[in-house]
Amino acid sequence: MTTTAATAIAHSRSAELFHALSDEARLQIIQILLDGEHCVCDLQGHLDVAQSRLSYHLKVLKDAGVVTDRREGRWAYYTLNRDAIVEAERLLAALRPASNRRLVARC
């Protein structure tokens, strides 16, 4: 894989993760899941959103790999994927300017 292709993949993954983290409701879901696994009914009880809206947010988080789910009968249980959070931290850190580099506007 070329450096350009690798950079494009990294940008794509960064955009996917940061999009998943860019909504207040999704951040609330993540905060709830910090305590461990929860079923959808628990999440809905904590949040003031319709079930269809909650499903949408969970799908965005799942598609980005931020949460995982498991089925038990009719119930779906969601868990935070720690690796995705660590990855987001790493990707964000890669965007941090070096402390010894001056930021210069180039107009």
Side-chain angles (χ1 to χ4, degrees), residues 13-14 17-18 21 66 81-95:
R13 178 63 180 145
S14 296
L17 267 175
F18 296 141
L21 300 172
V66 176
N81 179 3
R82 184 183 185 283
D83 292 341
I85 302 302
V86 170
E87 180 184 13
E89 290 173 337
R90 182 183 54 77
L91 291 167
L92 187 59
L95 298 174

Side-chain angles (χ1 to χ4, degrees), residues 3-69:
T3 303
T4 305
T7 302
I9 290 170
H11 290 164
S12 176
R13 178 63 180 145
S14 296
E16 178 183 41
L17 267 175
F18 296 141
H19 169 72
L21 300 172
S22 69
D23 183 89
E24 185 177 345
R26 292 193 288 271
L27 291 174
Q28 288 174 332
I29 292 167
I30 290 168
Q31 187 168 9
I32 293 164
L33 294 176
L34 288 171
D35 291 334
E37 181 180 76
H38 285 273
C39 71
V40 173
C41 59
D42 288 342
L43 294 171
Q44 193 169 8
H46 286 291
L47 303 169
D48 187 25
V49 295
Q51 190 275 329
S52 61
R53 202 74 193 138
L54 177 58
S55 293
Y56 167 76
H57 289 304
L58 288 168
K59 180 181 180 343
V60 171
L61 290 168
K62 185 178 172 185
D63 289 349
V66 176
V67 300
T68 59
D69 68 337

